[in-house]
CSV table of all heavy atoms in Angstrom, one decimal:
chain,number,residue,atom,x,y,z
A,1,GLU,N,0.8,-1.2,0.0
A,1,GLU,CA,0.0,0.0,0.0
A,1,GLU,C,0.8,1.3,0.0
A,1,GLU,O,0.6,2.2,-0.7
A,1,GLU,CB,-0.9,0.0,1.2
A,1,GLU,CG,-2.0,-1.1,1.2
A,1,GLU,CD,-3.0,-1.0,2.3
A,1,GLU,OE1,-2.5,-0.4,3.4
A,1,GLU,OE2,-4.1,-1.5,2.3
A,2,THR,N,1.9,1.3,0.9
A,2,THR,CA,2.7,2.5,1.0
A,2,THR,C,4.0,2.4,0.3
A,2,THR,O,4.8,3.4,0.2
A,2,THR,CB,3.0,2.8,2.5
A,2,THR,OG1,3.7,1.7,3.1
A,2,THR,CG2,1.6,2.9,3.3
A,3,ASN,N,4.4,1.2,-0.2
A,3,ASN,CA,5.7,1.0,-0.8
A,3,ASN,C,6.9,1.4,0.1
A,3,ASN,O,7.9,1.9,-0.4
A,3,ASN,CB,5.7,1.8,-2.1
A,3,ASN,CG,6.8,1.2,-3.1
A,3,ASN,OD1,7.1,0.1,-3.0
A,3,ASN,ND2,7.3,2.1,-4.0
A,4,THR,N,6.7,1.1,1.4
A,4,THR,CA,7.8,1.4,2.4
A,4,THR,C,8.0,0.1,3.1
A,4,THR,O,7.2,-0.9,3.1
A,4,THR,CB,7.4,2.5,3.4
A,4,THR,OG1,6.2,2.0,4.1
A,4,THR,CG2,7.1,3.8,2.7
A,5,TYR,N,9.2,0.0,3.7
A,5,TYR,CA,9.6,-1.2,4.5
A,5,TYR,C,8.7,-1.3,5.7
A,5,TYR,O,8.4,-0.3,6.4
A,5,TYR,CB,11.0,-1.2,4.8
A,5,TYR,CG,11.9,-1.5,3.6
A,5,TYR,CD1,12.6,-0.4,2.9
A,5,TYR,CD2,12.1,-2.8,3.2
A,5,TYR,CE1,13.4,-0.7,1.9
A,5,TYR,CE2,12.9,-3.0,2.1
A,5,TYR,CZ,13.5,-2.0,1.4
A,5,TYR,OH,14.3,-2.3,0.3
A,6,SER,N,8.4,-2.6,6.1
A,6,SER,CA,7.7,-2.9,7.3
A,6,SER,C,8.2,-4.2,7.9
A,6,SER,O,8.7,-5.1,7.1
A,6,SER,CB,6.2,-3.0,6.9
A,6,SER,OG,5.4,-3.4,8.1
A,7,THR,N,8.0,-4.3,9.2
A,7,THR,CA,8.5,-5.5,9.9
A,7,THR,C,7.3,-6.3,10.5
A,7,THR,O,7.5,-7.2,11.3
A,7,THR,CB,9.5,-5.2,11.0
A,7,THR,OG1,8.8,-4.3,11.9
A,7,THR,CG2,10.7,-4.6,10.5
A,8,VAL,N,6.1,-6.0,10.1
A,8,VAL,CA,4.9,-6.6,10.5
A,8,VAL,C,4.7,-7.9,9.7
A,8,VAL,O,4.9,-7.9,8.5
A,8,VAL,CB,3.7,-5.7,10.5
A,8,VAL,CG1,2.4,-6.4,11.0
A,8,VAL,CG2,3.9,-4.4,11.2
A,9,THR,N,4.2,-8.9,10.4
A,9,THR,CA,3.9,-10.2,9.7
A,9,THR,C,2.8,-10.0,8.7
A,9,THR,O,1.8,-9.3,9.0
A,9,THR,CB,3.4,-11.2,10.7
A,9,THR,OG1,4.5,-11.5,11.6
A,9,THR,CG2,3.1,-12.6,10.0
A,10,SER,N,3.0,-10.4,7.5
A,10,SER,CA,2.1,-10.2,6.4
A,10,SER,C,1.8,-11.6,5.7
A,10,SER,O,2.6,-12.5,5.7
A,10,SER,CB,2.6,-9.2,5.4
A,10,SER,OG,3.8,-9.7,4.8
A,11,PHE,N,0.6,-11.6,5.0
A,11,PHE,CA,0.2,-12.8,4.2
A,11,PHE,C,-0.1,-12.3,2.8
A,11,PHE,O,-0.8,-11.3,2.6
A,11,PHE,CB,-1.0,-13.4,4.9
A,11,PHE,CG,-1.6,-14.5,4.0
A,11,PHE,CD1,-1.0,-15.8,4.0
A,11,PHE,CD2,-2.7,-14.3,3.2
A,11,PHE,CE1,-1.5,-16.8,3.2
A,11,PHE,CE2,-3.2,-15.3,2.5
A,11,PHE,CZ,-2.6,-16.6,2.5
A,12,HIS,N,0.4,-13.0,1.8
A,12,HIS,CA,0.3,-12.6,0.4
A,12,HIS,C,-0.3,-13.8,-0.3
A,12,HIS,O,0.1,-15.0,-0.1
A,12,HIS,CB,1.6,-12.2,-0.2
A,12,HIS,CG,2.2,-11.0,0.4
A,12,HIS,ND1,2.2,-9.8,-0.1
A,12,HIS,CD2,3.0,-10.9,1.6
A,12,HIS,CE1,2.8,-8.9,0.7
A,12,HIS,NE2,3.3,-9.6,1.7
A,13,ASN,N,-1.2,-13.6,-1.3
A,13,ASN,CA,-1.9,-14.6,-2.1
A,13,ASN,C,-2.1,-14.0,-3.5
A,13,ASN,O,-2.6,-12.9,-3.6
A,13,ASN,CB,-3.2,-15.0,-1.5
A,13,ASN,CG,-3.9,-16.1,-2.2
A,13,ASN,OD1,-5.1,-16.2,-2.3
A,13,ASN,ND2,-3.1,-17.0,-2.9
A,14,GLY,N,-1.7,-14.8,-4.5
A,14,GLY,CA,-1.8,-14.3,-5.9
A,14,GLY,C,-2.3,-15.4,-6.8
A,14,GLY,O,-2.2,-16.6,-6.6
A,15,TYR,N,-2.9,-14.9,-8.0
A,15,TYR,CA,-3.5,-15.8,-9.0
A,15,TYR,C,-3.1,-15.2,-10.4
A,15,TYR,O,-3.1,-14.0,-10.6
A,15,TYR,CB,-5.0,-15.9,-8.9
A,15,TYR,CG,-5.5,-16.4,-7.5
A,15,TYR,CD1,-5.7,-15.4,-6.5
A,15,TYR,CD2,-5.7,-17.7,-7.3
A,15,TYR,CE1,-6.1,-15.9,-5.3
A,15,TYR,CE2,-6.1,-18.1,-6.0
A,15,TYR,CZ,-6.4,-17.2,-5.0
A,15,TYR,OH,-6.8,-17.7,-3.8
A,16,SER,N,-2.9,-16.1,-11.3
A,16,SER,CA,-2.6,-15.7,-12.7
A,16,SER,C,-3.0,-16.8,-13.7
A,16,SER,O,-3.0,-18.0,-13.3
A,16,SER,CB,-1.1,-15.4,-12.8
A,16,SER,OG,-0.3,-16.6,-12.7
A,17,ILE,N,-3.3,-16.4,-14.9
A,17,ILE,CA,-3.6,-17.3,-16.0
A,17,ILE,C,-3.1,-16.7,-17.3
A,17,ILE,O,-3.1,-15.5,-17.5
A,17,ILE,CB,-5.2,-17.5,-16.1
A,17,ILE,CG1,-5.4,-18.5,-17.2
A,17,ILE,CG2,-5.9,-16.2,-16.3
A,17,ILE,CD1,-6.9,-19.0,-17.2
A,18,SER,N,-2.5,-17.5,-18.1
A,18,SER,CA,-1.9,-17.1,-19.3
A,18,SER,C,-2.1,-18.0,-20.4
A,18,SER,O,-2.4,-19.2,-20.2
A,18,SER,CB,-0.3,-16.9,-19.1
A,18,SER,OG,0.3,-18.2,-18.8
A,19,ALA,N,-2.1,-17.5,-21.7
A,19,ALA,CA,-2.3,-18.3,-22.9
A,19,ALA,C,-1.4,-17.8,-23.9
A,19,ALA,O,-1.0,-16.6,-24.0
A,19,ALA,CB,-3.7,-18.3,-23.3
A,20,GLY,N,-0.9,-18.8,-24.8
A,20,GLY,CA,0.0,-18.4,-25.9
A,20,GLY,C,-0.2,-19.3,-27.1
A,20,GLY,O,-0.6,-20.5,-26.9
A,21,ILE,N,0.0,-18.8,-28.3
A,21,ILE,CA,-0.1,-19.6,-29.5
A,21,ILE,C,1.0,-19.2,-30.5
A,21,ILE,O,1.3,-18.0,-30.6
A,21,ILE,CB,-1.5,-19.5,-30.1
A,21,ILE,CG1,-1.7,-20.4,-31.3
A,21,ILE,CG2,-1.8,-18.0,-30.5
A,21,ILE,CD1,-3.1,-20.5,-31.9
A,22,MET,N,1.5,-20.1,-31.2
A,22,MET,CA,2.6,-19.8,-32.1
A,22,MET,C,1.9,-19.5,-33.5
A,22,MET,O,1.1,-20.3,-34.0
A,22,MET,CB,3.5,-21.0,-32.3
A,22,MET,CG,4.6,-20.8,-33.3
A,22,MET,SD,5.8,-19.6,-32.8
A,22,MET,CE,6.5,-20.3,-31.3
A,23,LEU,N,2.1,-18.3,-33.9
A,23,LEU,CA,1.5,-17.9,-35.2
A,23,LEU,C,2.3,-18.3,-36.4
A,23,LEU,O,1.7,-18.7,-37.4
A,23,LEU,CB,1.4,-16.3,-35.2
A,23,LEU,CG,0.5,-15.7,-34.1
A,23,LEU,CD1,0.5,-14.2,-34.2
A,23,LEU,CD2,-0.9,-16.3,-34.1
A,24,PHE,N,3.6,-18.3,-36.3
A,24,PHE,CA,4.4,-18.8,-37.4
A,24,PHE,C,5.7,-19.3,-36.9
A,24,PHE,O,6.4,-18.6,-36.1
A,24,PHE,CB,4.6,-17.6,-38.4
A,24,PHE,CG,5.5,-18.0,-39.6
A,24,PHE,CD1,5.0,-18.8,-40.6
A,24,PHE,CD2,6.8,-17.7,-39.6
A,24,PHE,CE1,5.8,-19.2,-41.7
A,24,PHE,CE2,7.6,-18.1,-40.7
A,24,PHE,CZ,7.1,-18.8,-41.7
A,25,ASN,N,6.1,-20.5,-37.3
A,25,ASN,CA,7.4,-21.0,-36.9
A,25,ASN,C,8.1,-21.8,-38.0
A,25,ASN,O,8.6,-22.9,-37.8
A,25,ASN,CB,7.3,-21.9,-35.6
A,25,ASN,CG,6.4,-23.1,-35.8
A,25,ASN,OD1,5.6,-23.1,-36.8
A,25,ASN,ND2,6.5,-24.0,-34.9
A,26,GLY,N,7.9,-21.3,-39.2
A,26,GLY,CA,8.5,-21.9,-40.4
A,26,GLY,C,7.7,-23.1,-40.8
A,26,GLY,O,8.3,-24.1,-41.3
A,27,PHE,N,6.4,-23.1,-40.7
A,27,PHE,CA,5.5,-24.2,-41.1
A,27,PHE,C,5.9,-25.5,-40.3
A,27,PHE,O,5.5,-26.6,-40.8
A,27,PHE,CB,5.6,-24.5,-42.6
A,27,PHE,CG,5.2,-23.3,-43.4
A,27,PHE,CD1,6.2,-22.5,-44.0
A,27,PHE,CD2,3.9,-22.9,-43.5
A,27,PHE,CE1,5.8,-21.4,-44.8
A,27,PHE,CE2,3.5,-21.8,-44.3
A,27,PHE,CZ,4.5,-21.0,-44.9
A,28,GLN,N,6.5,-25.4,-39.2
A,28,GLN,CA,6.9,-26.6,-38.4
A,28,GLN,C,5.6,-27.3,-38.0
A,28,GLN,O,5.6,-28.6,-38.0
A,28,GLN,CB,7.7,-26.2,-37.3
A,28,GLN,CG,8.2,-27.5,-36.5
A,28,GLN,CD,9.2,-27.1,-35.3
A,28,GLN,OE1,9.5,-25.9,-35.2
A,28,GLN,NE2,9.6,-28.0,-34.6
A,29,ALA,N,4.6,-26.6,-37.5
A,29,ALA,CA,3.4,-27.3,-37.0
A,29,ALA,C,2.7,-28.0,-38.1
A,29,ALA,O,2.2,-29.1,-37.9
A,29,ALA,CB,2.5,-26.2,-36.3
A,30,VAL,N,2.5,-27.3,-39.3
A,30,VAL,CA,1.9,-28.0,-40.4
A,30,VAL,C,2.6,-29.2,-40.9
A,30,VAL,O,2.0,-30.3,-41.2
A,30,VAL,CB,1.7,-27.0,-41.5
A,30,VAL,CG1,1.0,-27.6,-42.7
A,30,VAL,CG2,0.8,-25.8,-41.0
A,31,ASN,N,3.9,-29.1,-40.9
A,31,ASN,CA,4.7,-30.2,-41.4
A,31,ASN,C,4.7,-31.4,-40.4
A,31,ASN,O,4.7,-32.5,-40.8
A,31,ASN,CB,6.2,-29.8,-41.6
A,31,ASN,CG,6.3,-28.9,-42.8
A,31,ASN,OD1,5.5,-28.9,-43.7
A,31,ASN,ND2,7.4,-28.0,-42.8
A,32,ASN,N,4.6,-31.0,-39.1
A,32,ASN,CA,4.5,-32.1,-38.1
A,32,ASN,C,3.2,-32.9,-38.3
A,32,ASN,O,3.1,-34.1,-38.1
A,32,ASN,CB,4.5,-31.5,-36.7
A,32,ASN,CG,5.9,-31.1,-36.3
A,32,ASN,OD1,6.9,-31.6,-36.9
A,32,ASN,ND2,6.0,-30.3,-35.3
A,33,ILE,N,2.1,-32.2,-38.7
A,33,ILE,CA,0.8,-32.8,-39.0
A,33,ILE,C,1.0,-33.8,-40.1
A,33,ILE,O,0.5,-34.9,-40.1
A,33,ILE,CB,-0.3,-31.8,-39.3
A,33,ILE,CG1,-0.5,-31.0,-38.0
A,33,ILE,CG2,-1.5,-32.5,-39.7
A,33,ILE,CD1,-1.6,-29.9,-38.2
A,34,LYS,N,1.7,-33.4,-41.2
A,34,LYS,CA,1.9,-34.2,-42.3
A,34,LYS,C,2.8,-35.4,-42.0
A,34,LYS,O,2.5,-36.6,-42.4
A,34,LYS,CB,2.6,-33.4,-43.5
A,34,LYS,CG,1.7,-32.3,-44.0
A,34,LYS,CD,2.5,-31.5,-45.1
A,34,LYS,CE,1.7,-30.4,-45.7
A,34,LYS,NZ,2.4,-29.6,-46.7
A,35,ILE,N,3.8,-35.2,-41.2
A,35,ILE,CA,4.7,-36.3,-40.8
A,35,ILE,C,3.9,-37.3,-39.9
A,35,ILE,O,4.0,-38.6,-40.1
A,35,ILE,CB,5.9,-35.8,-40.0
A,35,ILE,CG1,6.8,-35.0,-41.0
A,35,ILE,CG2,6.7,-36.9,-39.4
A,35,ILE,CD1,8.0,-34.3,-40.3
A,36,THR,N,3.1,-36.9,-39.0
A,36,THR,CA,2.4,-37.8,-38.1
A,36,THR,C,1.3,-38.5,-38.9
A,36,THR,O,1.0,-39.7,-38.7
A,36,THR,CB,1.7,-37.0,-37.0
A,36,THR,OG1,0.9,-36.0,-37.5
A,36,THR,CG2,2.8,-36.5,-36.0
A,37,LYS,N,0.7,-37.9,-40.0
A,37,LYS,CA,-0.2,-38.6,-40.8
A,37,LYS,C,0.4,-39.7,-41.6
A,37,LYS,O,-0.1,-40.8,-41.7
A,37,LYS,CB,-0.9,-37.6,-41.8
A,37,LYS,CG,-1.9,-38.2,-42.7
A,37,LYS,CD,-2.5,-37.2,-43.7
A,37,LYS,CE,-3.5,-37.8,-44.6
A,37,LYS,NZ,-4.1,-36.9,-45.5
A,38,THR,N,1.6,-39.4,-42.2
A,38,THR,CA,2.3,-40.4,-42.9
A,38,THR,C,2.8,-41.5,-41.9
A,38,THR,O,2.7,-42.7,-42.3
A,38,THR,CB,3.6,-39.8,-43.6
A,38,THR,OG1,3.1,-38.7,-44.4
A,38,THR,CG2,4.3,-40.9,-44.4
A,39,ALA,N,3.2,-41.2,-40.7
A,39,ALA,CA,3.6,-42.2,-39.8
A,39,ALA,C,2.5,-43.1,-39.4
A,39,ALA,O,2.7,-44.3,-39.2
A,39,ALA,CB,4.2,-41.5,-38.5
A,40,GLN,N,1.3,-42.5,-39.2
A,40,GLN,CA,0.1,-43.3,-38.9
A,40,GLN,C,-0.2,-44.3,-40.0
A,40,GLN,O,-0.5,-45.5,-39.8
A,40,GLN,CB,-1.1,-42.4,-38.6
A,40,GLN,CG,-2.3,-43.1,-38.2
A,40,GLN,CD,-3.4,-42.2,-37.8
A,40,GLN,OE1,-3.4,-41.0,-38.1
A,40,GLN,NE2,-4.5,-42.7,-37.3
């Protein structure tokens, strides 16, 4: 709250959620689909 040092016992709790997707990586994802299809 005050951005100052304190010596009082404190309790902290946090939550986070994140997501990510590869938009382009040299067609690696598409080629992996082709390879797994041929392997199947």
Side-chain angles (χ1 to χ4, degrees):
E1 292 182 340
T2 61
N3 201 23
T4 59
Y5 285 102
S6 174
T7 58
V8 181
T9 301
S10 61
F11 173 78
H12 299 260
N13 182 213
Y15 303 89
S16 66
I17 184 172
S18 61
I21 186 172
M22 182 65 67
L23 300 179
F24 179 79
N25 60 345
F27 301 104
Q28 182 177 357
V30 177
N31 290 336
N32 285 340
I33 295 177
K34 295 180 180 179
I35 290 177
T36 54
K37 179 180 179 180
T38 305
Q40 186 177 7

